[in-house]
Amino acid sequence: QVQVVESGGGLVQAGGSLTLSCAASGGFYSNYAMGWFRQTPGKEREFVAAISMSGGSTLHADSVKGRFTISRNNANKTMYLQMSSLKPEDTAVYYCAARLYYIRSRADEYDYWGQGTQVTVSS
């Protein structure tokens, strides 16, 4: 079992930057692939980015490539999503997720979820 908690959301102007953090506890963190997803009302949870157990492999959704960067620090059990060139369409609740072993991009393949943190991008 692992618990994850997101933080760092807030209000930012279009074109601005924001970094989200996800702190993990309760499990052997290095055995978990991690991901970021986002969701707006009335829409399905959308894949944003994912990172392998070691951090050696990453996946980024086409909509965020070149703007968002996922990373992790296994020493302090924290994952990050560095966001830049933010657009109003990036506005959503962002969720941190974890699953054992292998990197995936489907929300239903993740087992552990944080509570979400709101990111609002104003135009």
Side-chain angles (χ1 to χ4, degrees):
Q1 298 285 322
V2 65
Q3 295 80 45
V4 291
V5 179
E6 311 94 332
S7 62
L11 176 64
V12 63
Q13 297 179 66
S17 299
L18 198 65
T19 298
L20 306 182
S21 298
C22 173
S25 63
F28 187 49
Y29 182 73
S30 294
N31 281 347
Y32 291 85
M34 306 288 291
W36 288 100
F37 294 80
R38 64 188 184 187
Q39 189 168 27
T40 56
K43 295 184 178 181
E44 294 183 355
R45 197 160 293 187
E46 175 189 13
F47 171 73
V48 176
I51 190 164
S52 63
M53 293 179 287
S54 68
S57 297
T58 62
L59 297 172
H60 294 82
D62 288 344
S63 59
V64 306
K65 284 181 179 177
R67 300 189 299 118
F68 292 10
T69 301
I70 191 171
S71 62
R72 68 192 292 170
N73 185 327
N74 285 0
N76 65 11
K77 299 182 179 180
T78 304
M79 179 181 65
Y80 305 94
L81 184 68
Q82 184 177 355
M83 304 183 290
S84 62
S85 301
L86 283 160
K87 305 174 181 179
E89 52 262 46
D90 295 319
T91 295
V93 177
Y94 283 71
Y95 294 91
C96 172
R99 69 184 310 279
L100 279 170
Y101 304 127
Y102 305 118
I103 189 169
R104 295 288 188 269
S105 60
R106 282 174 52 179
D108 62 6
E109 293 181 304
Y110 284 78
D111 302 302
Y112 306 101
W113 293 86
Q115 81 290 347
T117 186
Q118 176 71 47
V119 174
T120 302
V121 183
S122 62
S123 59

